[in-house]
Amino acid sequence: MLTLGIDVGSSSSKVVILKDGRDVLAAEVVQIGTGSSGVTRALQAAFEKAGLTMDDMDYSVATGYGRFTCGGTDGQISEISCHAKGIYFLHPTARTILDIGGQDVKAIKLDSKGGIKQFFMNDKCAAGTGRFLDVMSRVLEVELSEMADYDDKATEPAAVSSTCTVFAESEVISQLSKGIAKENIIAGVHQSVASKACGLVFRAGVEDDVVMCGGVAQNRGVVRAVSKQLQRPVIVAHNPQTTGALGAALFAYEQAVKRSRRKEEQEAV
Ligand code: ADP
């Protein structure tokens, strides 16, 4: 059975094609989100990789901020449920999930069966989200994918004390003009993101294992800062930007199985 999960985020579009609820045939990311051509491009790339078309899909589920703008799918499910589903599939020992996306942060607590016990979300403020890092990467003229390399070389992280992104941007500009090394400013920026995101985790209550997902989990500087603040190891999910789409494809598989059973029962009558 073939199922499709689409995660239409605020900053990126993710697609996962799954075989029999188990094997990932394709997992594609396009770094532009809702309202853009991102979903179409991610779908094209995934179908090409798997050598399949939309007609081959038995069931499809959309998730993410822009899930209702994504026509032609069989269902929509919230990203909290989809991230929980995807992470539990990859890491059944996960009890705390920290998802740092482009415009929001989510802390989710799971029980031993993967059920959601509690969650907290910040989608009101850019601090502690990927957007904060996007702004800083532009000001610092360092690619997002290189921010961690700078952080690795930091000797004395600079304090970025403003929680407001606009004020923090001014703070970083002022640090640059004072000649503070980019390595130390970037480590300070990462600590600021981690401290805001960990606030949500502490509200939810930390329980091992802690797993990070979302685009920002690709930045090991932020992961290191999160681990330090939580005072415990943090696991980064495999292909962390696609765990929501993976969860959507897993839900799609459950629906596809139910639909096929109903069909068999009807045919037996
Ligand atoms: P959403 O689902 O809300 O669209 P994502 O989970 O895709 O968000 O995360 C998007 C964020 O991930 C971006 O704002 C950016 O800060 C970060 N990001 C994307 N690619 C990379 C990368 N290669 N290295 C570090 N951070 C990245």
Side-chain angles (χ1 to χ4, degrees):
M1 215 168 259
L2 293 165
T3 58
L4 177 68
I6 306 174
D7 181 358
V8 192
S10 60
S11 313
S12 70
S13 308
K14 288 79 72 174
V15 167
V16 166
I17 299 173
L18 199 61
K19 186 172 175 234
D20 298 331
R22 222 179 24 238
D23 304 320
V24 174
L25 300 185
E28 296 297 319
V29 181
V30 172
Q31 303 292 356
I32 41 174
T34 186
S36 73
S37 61
V39 171
T40 311
R41 285 166 50 192
L43 280 168
Q44 264 170 5
F47 285 138
E48 203 168 300
K49 185 163 191 188
L52 296 164
T53 70
M54 189 69 187
D55 292 339
D56 297 314
M57 298 298 113
D58 290 293
Y59 206 97
S60 57
V61 166
T63 186
Y65 178 72
R67 64 188 176 277
F68 295 109
T69 63
C70 183
T73 53
D74 297 303
Q76 294 93 20
I77 296 180
S78 88
E79 61 260 45
I80 305 265
S81 300
C82 287
H83 278 296
K85 189 89 173 165
I87 292 289
Y88 188 74
F89 173 80
L90 295 171
H91 300 282
T93 55
R95 296 294 176 270
T96 308
I97 301 172
L98 175 60
D99 166 32
I100 311 186
Q103 257 179 34
D104 61 24
V105 190
K106 303 174 198 85
I108 307 168
K109 286 289 292 289
L110 296 184
D111 62 26
S112 58
K113 293 187 174 129
I116 297 171
K117 284 207 288 193
Q118 197 170 32
F119 73 87
F120 288 101
M121 178 164 164
N122 161 30
D123 59 356
K124 303 277 180 284
C125 163
T129 72
R131 183 54 50 91
F132 187 86
L133 291 164
D134 300 346
V135 168
M136 297 311 169
S137 127
R138 218 168 304 129
V139 174
L140 289 154
E141 297 180 276
V142 173
E143 293 289 329
L144 272 177
S145 55
E146 289 169 10
M147 300 265 285
D149 298 338
Y150 279 79
D151 184 310
D152 289 346
K153 295 182 202 124
T155 49
E156 201 181 329
V160 178
S161 50
S162 307
T163 44
C164 166
T165 307
V166 178
F167 290 142
E169 186 182 2
S170 308
E171 216 178 329
V172 165
I173 291 169
S174 145
Q175 288 170 344
L176 278 173
S177 71
K178 281 183 198 150
I180 297 177
K182 281 188 186 177
E183 287 78 0
N184 288 334
I185 301 176
I186 287 172
V189 163
H190 289 164
Q191 283 183 2
S192 161
V193 169
S195 133
K196 191 86 181 161
C198 288
L200 281 191
V201 179
F202 286 128
R203 271 175 77 190
V206 199
E207 206 183 311
D208 289 324
D209 289 341
V210 180
V211 180
M212 272 183 77
C213 62
V216 175
Q218 296 171 102
N219 180 333
R220 69 180 173 282
V222 175
V223 175
R224 190 161 44 221
V226 166
S227 171
K228 204 167 164 192
Q229 296 200 19
L230 297 181
Q231 297 184 329
R232 64 194 67 220
V234 168
I235 298 166
V236 176
H238 173 70
N239 210 347
Q241 216 169 355
T242 61
T243 52
L246 173 63
L250 286 162
F251 276 120
Y253 175 68
E254 288 176 1
Q255 291 305 319
V257 169
K258 274 189 202 158
R259 191 156 76 179
S260 136
R261 282 204 193 120
R262 272 200 306 270
K263 210 172 150 197
E264 275 169 25
E265 281 163 13
Q266 279 163 1
E267 279 166 6
V269 176

